Amino acid sequence: MLVELSSIPRGELIERARILRRDDPQYVPSECLVHFIRSSRLDNSDAWFERLYRILTERVLRCLPRADSSDGRTRSLSKETIRDKVFGRFVELLSTDRATYLEQLDYFEIRFDGALANLRRDAQEQAWRDENRSVPLECDAETGEVTAEVEKAAGQFDPFAASIVDDAVYRLRLDAAIADLPPEQSRIIHMLRQGFPIDSKEPGAMTIAKALRRSEKTVRTYRDKAFAVLRAALLEGDES
């Protein structure tokens, strides 16, 4: 099927990729979409990547449990957490592979449903841990945004500065500190580490805000919170 799909115009491939019914003879399996998304890295075409990426992520979201009930009156926080975790992890894998080959994504080209099911199981197992994990930060009670003091401290700290990240012990501590962050903050830090911009004026550029479907302001708020926690874990402990 990859040979067949590679021979048709890209516009036609996009139209076929939008078909959702698996019993449709023109249906494009998600394994194939993952393959073309990964191959687009060699084309250096952000526009082509973006079109495929949007279709595939919509498929992923359709496969995940919805937080809202069928009547729209109630909302399950556990389902919402699992949904956010799985989607965020999948986006993180795609984003990392966009920068450099990631072996973990190979399974999605072989058995997409099985790979996605594995992410769901991992998310379910981790959800209860995150409910009990919290980091005290000074935030505005009304807006939920970090205070000026925290923002200033975060802005002055770069956890990936060359002067410190070359230290092997520091890198181990950094990885551990990132793992302890709440999921969304951790994903943002991982993407910053891979060199992805928070936002961009270039229409086809892949950004953190676009990948996570968050506003630029929200991403920067999460980043500042994460940087403040990393600073406390990595530097302030040494100073004491």
Side-chain angles (χ1 to χ4, degrees):
M1 182 171 286
L2 286 176
V3 174
E4 173 197 343
L5 294 174
S6 297
S7 66
I8 66 177
R10 287 185 170 182
E12 182 180 342
L13 175 58
I14 290 295
E15 290 304 313
R16 288 184 57 177
R18 292 195 177 104
I19 297 173
L20 298 178
R21 293 184 46 134
R22 298 193 182 201
D23 58 353
D24 190 308
Q26 297 296 304
Y27 175 78
V28 177
S30 296
E31 290 86 351
C32 295
L33 288 183
V34 174
H35 172 81
F36 285 115
I37 283 177
R38 301 181 83 185
S39 299
S40 70
R41 182 179 69 244
L42 302 177
D43 296 343
N44 196 26
S45 173
D46 290 329
W48 177 234
F49 168 84
E50 176 65 22
R51 296 176 75 185
L52 294 170
Y53 172 87
R54 186 178 296 112
I55 292 173
L56 184 60
T57 52
E58 287 175 355
R59 286 192 185 186
V60 171
L61 288 172
R62 289 174 63 90
C63 293
L64 299 178
R66 297 189 63 85
D68 296 323
S69 62
S70 58
D71 59 10
R73 295 180 180 178
T74 59
R75 189 173 186 84
S76 169
L77 293 179
S78 60
K79 287 184 179 180
E80 183 176 17
T81 298
I82 293 170
R83 183 181 177 87
D84 288 346
K85 280 179 174 294
V86 174
F87 182 73
R89 178 55 178 159
F90 182 71
V91 167
E92 182 183 325
L93 291 173
L94 281 182
S95 301
T96 302
D97 189 77
R98 181 71 175 163
T100 181
Y101 165 73
L102 184 67
E103 185 177 2
Q104 290 172 273
L105 207 57
D106 289 352
Y107 189 32
F108 285 87
E109 284 195 58
I110 301 170
R111 190 183 173 201
F112 187 88
D113 290 344
L116 195 61
N118 287 342
L119 291 188
R120 283 188 61 171
R121 282 193 293 269
D122 291 343
Q124 289 169 344
E125 293 174 358
Q126 295 171 5
W128 69 270
R129 301 192 196 106
D130 293 329
E131 290 177 0
N132 298 321
R133 177 188 299 162
S134 62
V135 179
L137 283 176
E138 294 183 24
C139 300
D140 186 284
E142 295 183 0
T143 66
E145 297 180 10
V146 294
T147 61
E149 291 78 8
V150 172
E151 186 173 2
K152 181 180 179 181
Q156 295 173 344
F157 173 63
D158 178 6
F160 310 122
S163 59
I164 53 178
V165 80
D166 287 340
D167 185 290
V169 175
Y170 172 84
R171 288 198 302 273
L172 290 174
R173 294 177 58 200
L174 174 62
D175 290 340
I178 293 174
D180 281 338
L181 291 171
E184 191 133 28
Q185 294 180 29
S186 177
R187 288 194 289 270
I188 289 170
I189 296 302
H190 277 299
M191 294 183 73
L192 287 172
R193 198 174 192 176
Q194 293 292 332
F196 287 91
I198 292 177
D199 201 11
S200 174
K201 294 182 180 179
E202 296 294 329
M206 175 50 60
T207 67
I208 299 175
K210 188 182 299 183
L212 299 183
R213 298 189 177 185
R214 299 286 189 179
S215 69
E216 177 189 356
K217 184 177 181 181
T218 297
V219 172
R220 293 188 186 280
T221 296
Y222 282 141
R223 178 206 60 186
D224 290 345
K225 289 181 179 181
F227 274 16
V229 173
L230 294 178
R231 177 185 174 87
L234 298 169
L235 299 186
E236 294 178 7
D238 292 340
E239 293 171 359
S240 60

